[in-house]
Amino acid sequence: MKLTSRSVSLIPLVATVAAAVLGASLIVTATANAATTLGAAAAQSGRYYGTAVAAGKLGDSTYVNILNTEFNMVTAENEMKWDATEPNRGQFNYSGGDRILNQAVGNGKRVRGHALLWHQQQPGWAQGLSGSDLRQAAINHVTQVATHYRGKIYAWDVVNEAFADGGSGGRRDSNLQRTGNDWIEAAFRAARAADPAAKLCYNDYNTDGINAKSTGIYNMVRDFKSRGVPIDCVGLQAHLTNNAPSDMQANIQRFADLGVDVQITELDIAGSNQANAYGAVTRACLAVARCTGITVWGIRDSDSWRTGENPLLFTSSGAKKAAYNSVLDALNAGGPGPTTTTTTTTTTTTTTTDPVPGGCTASVSLNQWNGGFVATIKVTAGSSALRGWRVTTTLSSGTVTSSWSANGSGTSGTVNWTNVDYNANVPAGQSTEFGFQGNGSGSGLNPSCAAS
Ligand code: G3I
């Protein structure tokens, strides 16, 4: 068996190499537990690897096969935007978004929500509004859509592309901006109230390296954190050509140092240096513990919005490109795992140890405020896939008021949580999340997990 340079370069592997000299020939046997899909490779360091999905392509078997095999996070490319979800004022249409979400969760994937407010892809009726009428319509839109998807979204792009290009570092002019500079924080507060479990992100392009635009966003995030405006993450879209910015890792790190997660949200790279650049972006994320995942903006080159530039990881016929191997190798080489994040006062993270091969672990991210809390529990499969799971938590003084993505046996004391239909199956080494909100204190939950 040939021992390739690729298989020996993979760091976190359990590798067994047995060599015996038989006469003149050397026989080498190598067993490398390198992950063979993007999602599984990212999961080794607790991250996800996602893609944008178009609802209209879910009947294409080549597309769906790659989606189901390779990715464990999904973003609706257009179906959760304002023009799609509220075509007429006060009349909501979730058909495309729900189709994508149901396909994703039905196949064990999580979903990034994109995007609640943006100056583009507004319905015609909103384009015609201004002032307090537009502000009211915009905040109502945030509340309604985030409520519809409450408990089902990993992270929302609450506001998309609100900063100006060029050197000003200031806001872009738009109808939303003209309602007052506080429109972004109003949107984040409305999103938090509607879905306390979703991470809330600000998302933009040409902000992948350190420049005036990304510094403007950095200053906004720093201001939000100092004033308690709820923000959990920053999305770097990363629509690139040939290279990752040389200071991309430093840029990710400076946002992380403000206390927010960073996600690469719409990655695509054109140009002849594509494979190298994909590797560089992957390594820049993996080098920062709070860079929690990467999403490519489509599956095959023919699925890309950048027509003719072939900026994705699969050819138009669905074959893996050199860029794919570059990403997979970088993911398998690993990096520090993401940290657990919260938005307000207290974070407590407890992780149980994997009890048996094939068992599971549970960890909690607690967002505690005066009088209430949201607990997000992460269930991670051990060395075998889970077909069902049970998590036990202890609430010594708090009371559960609502929960999502699991069934609870009670509201106080020892509570057993069991999977719902769509998250029973968790592939080996991968994770799913559920959560609950409560009154009082959520400290000391001490979750333990068992396969069932
Ligand atoms: O669905 C209609 C179809 O019925 C109609 O015949 C056709 C005619 O133009 O249009 C189709 O809608 C198009 C839609 O994509 C679906 O293909 C829209 O015109 C087109 O504007 C829309 O483009 C999307 C673009 O956002 C809108 O600005 C792209 O698919 C989508 O990839 C792109 O994504 C954005 C992110 O949301 C934000 N960051 C930048 C990124 C790339 O532009």
Side-chain angles (χ1 to χ4, degrees), residues 102-339:
N102 290 335
Q103 198 282 341
V105 298
N107 288 281
K109 307 174 201 311
R110 291 182 289 167
V111 176
R112 291 192 84 263
H114 175 82
L116 292 171
L117 292 180
W118 186 21
H119 64 281
Q120 287 185 22
Q121 283 181 283
Q122 294 182 2
W125 64 265
Q127 292 174 34
L129 299 183
S130 62
S132 58
D133 198 16
L134 174 59
R135 173 69 69 92
Q136 190 183 30
I139 297 305
N140 181 58
H141 178 76
V142 171
T143 299
Q144 296 298 325
V145 177
T147 299
H148 175 78
Y149 288 111
R150 177 187 170 101
K152 297 175 179 168
I153 298 289
Y154 165 72
W156 264 113
D157 292 331
V158 178
V159 170
N160 193 43
E161 301 176 7
F163 276 72
D165 292 312
S168 75
R171 300 281 182 87
R172 165 195 303 281
D173 178 53
S174 72
N175 59 346
L176 289 164
Q177 183 60 30
R178 288 191 291 273
T179 69
N181 208 47
D182 62 343
W183 73 276
I184 297 182
E185 62 189 87
F188 275 79
R189 291 187 199 281
R192 175 68 91 230
D195 186 354
K199 293 179 188 294
L200 304 182
C201 297
Y202 176 81
N203 189 50
D204 215 326
Y205 67 90
N206 284 349
T207 52
D208 316 303
I210 295 176
N211 55 38
K213 188 174 177 184
S214 62
T215 299
I217 295 162
Y218 175 87
N219 290 335
M220 178 186 76
V221 174
R222 187 174 55 184
D223 171 55
F224 279 14
K225 296 297 281 185
S226 74
R227 293 190 293 113
V229 178
I231 185 167
D232 308 309
C233 38
V234 169
L236 307 179
Q237 292 185 10
H239 295 297
L240 301 170
T241 299
N242 270 323
N243 293 302
S246 58
D247 52 9
M248 188 166 189
Q249 181 183 325
N251 191 40
I252 295 170
Q253 186 67 60
R254 72 172 175 158
F255 280 107
D257 291 344
L258 289 177
V260 290
D261 291 346
V262 179
Q263 295 154 14
I264 311 298
T265 51
E266 303 181 14
L267 179 62
D268 49 25
I269 309 178
S272 57
N273 194 41
Q274 177 181 72
N276 290 331
Y278 263 105
V281 169
T282 312
R283 287 187 292 275
C285 177
L286 290 172
V288 180
R290 286 196 86 139
C291 185
T292 58
I294 298 174
T295 294
V296 284
W297 205 241
I299 296 177
R300 302 161 301 192
D301 284 332
S302 51
D303 301 318
S304 174
W305 67 293
R306 297 171 74 173
T307 308
E309 293 191 82
N310 299 329
L312 294 173
L313 299 177
F314 292 84
T315 66
S316 297
S317 54
K320 294 169 182 171
K321 296 166 62 178
Y324 172 96
N325 290 329
S326 179
V327 170
L328 188 66
D329 285 355
L331 291 172
N332 273 322
T339 54

Side-chain angles (χ1 to χ4, degrees), residues 76-87:
E77 186 173 0
N78 289 298
E79 293 78 353
M80 293 189 187
K81 293 172 179 174
W82 198 351
D83 60 347
T85 51
E86 195 180 0

Side-chain angles (χ1 to χ4, degrees), residues 38 49-51 66-67 69-73 109 296 299 314:
L38 301 170
Y49 209 93
T51 182
I66 300 172
L67 168 61
T69 304
E70 295 288 344
F71 299 99
N72 53 14
M73 184 71 78
K109 307 174 201 311
V296 284
I299 296 177
F314 292 84

